[in-house]
Amino acid sequence: MPTNADAGAEPGPPSTARRAGRPRRLTIDTVVNEAIRHADEQGLTELTMPRLARRLGVGTMTLYGYVASKQELVDQMASALFADLTVPDSGDDWRHQVSEYFRRFRKAALAHPSLAGLLANGRVTIPAVFDHLETLLGAMRAGGLGTEDAVRLFYSSLCFTIGEVQWEVPRTHAQSPAAYAQQWHDLLAALDPRAYPLLTGPAAAHLGTVSSDEQFEWGLARIIATAGPHRV
């Protein structure tokens, strides 16, 4: 029951709170960004239209007003994640250009683990993927690589980078690199040196860094270095 004070009070501004049962206002950006967050947190395989709808507080069929299918949603996610990934200038050194591209790719994928999952587990058909591939293949051919070598080198580097990211995320990004190194230390300390002389001896100093920038750079450098300058 209102009081006399309530009766004489000036009316306040209209409430901005969403009334119970009122559908949440969505935009395509809201849908895509929430899908990326869900995939980053739970993994791409856990992303379904019903689960995304629940996160957004709407019915599943509402989502189909923004994307026609799960594949279209995946492409929209990839487009958003590729938006800030660019091909560096070659500077007349295709090896540096390809290496730097995959450094940038790894950085983007570590920030959004769903990016590696999108490429590893799904069909991505967005223009940026083809643009990047065309540019880098052209740079490699201009530098003397044959077409097949250029294609093989690109996909070897891509698969290596995706694998490295999927290896790294749960080991040194879900926890600190120091904690990961300590885990190795503890595991190796429990081994019998007579049975594992290398693991407890000279290899011990390196095993704690197998999920690191150092490991990525070591592998990428050797992949790039294998390509020969043979044009076909």
Side-chain angles (χ1 to χ4, degrees):
M1 177 179 296
T3 66
N4 290 335
D6 292 328
E10 297 238 352
S15 173
T16 58
R18 184 164 60 96
R19 295 176 184 173
R22 180 186 294 175
R24 177 176 179 179
R25 290 186 178 181
L26 298 181
T27 66
I28 184 59
D29 288 341
T30 302
V31 172
V32 170
N33 290 335
E34 192 63 36
I36 290 171
R37 279 192 287 271
H38 182 77
D40 283 345
E41 295 166 6
Q42 306 295 328
L44 187 64
T45 58
E46 296 299 313
L47 175 63
T48 66
M49 298 299 269
R51 287 172 179 162
L52 179 58
R54 285 195 295 272
R55 283 180 69 114
L56 290 166
V58 299
T60 301
M61 293 308 297
T62 300
L63 294 183
Y64 289 103
Y66 298 88
V67 290
S69 64
K70 171 75 176 291
Q71 181 58 51
E72 184 178 320
L73 175 62
V74 167
D75 282 349
Q76 292 273 11
M77 293 166 64
S79 293
L81 292 170
F82 267 87
D84 295 327
L85 179 61
T86 59
V87 178
D89 293 333
S90 65
D92 297 323
D93 183 353
W94 68 264
R95 293 179 191 275
H96 173 76
Q97 185 180 27
V98 174
S99 298
E100 183 58 28
Y101 175 78
F102 284 106
R103 290 187 188 101
R104 294 182 183 186
F105 183 97
R106 171 175 173 260
K107 182 178 180 181
L110 287 174
H112 290 287
S114 56
L115 175 59
L118 285 171
L119 293 178
N121 301 312
R123 178 178 64 91
V124 176
T125 57
I126 63 172
V129 170
F130 301 115
D131 292 344
H132 294 182
L133 180 56
E134 180 74 18
T135 300
L136 290 170
L137 291 181
M140 287 186 274
R141 279 182 53 81
L145 281 191
T147 303
E148 181 177 358
D149 283 346
V151 170
R152 302 299 182 206
L153 177 60
F154 178 89
Y155 278 98
S156 292
S157 302
L158 177 65
C159 291
F160 167 73
T161 304
I162 289 173
E164 278 288 311
V165 168
Q166 292 183 325
W167 174 268
E168 286 182 60
V169 167
R171 290 169 174 81
T172 56
H173 295 272
Q175 62 179 352
S176 71
Y180 178 68
Q182 185 62 45
Q183 288 176 354
W184 268 108
H185 178 273
D186 295 342
L187 288 170
L188 297 177
L191 296 179
D192 182 350
R194 293 168 298 180
Y196 301 98
L198 290 176
L199 295 182
T200 59
H206 308 292
L207 290 171
T209 66
V210 295
S211 183
S212 64
D213 294 348
E214 179 183 2
Q215 176 67 33
F216 174 78
E217 291 293 341
W218 190 96
L220 182 65
R222 280 154 181 78
I223 291 172
I224 301 299
T226 62
H230 305 297
R231 180 185 291 278
V232 294

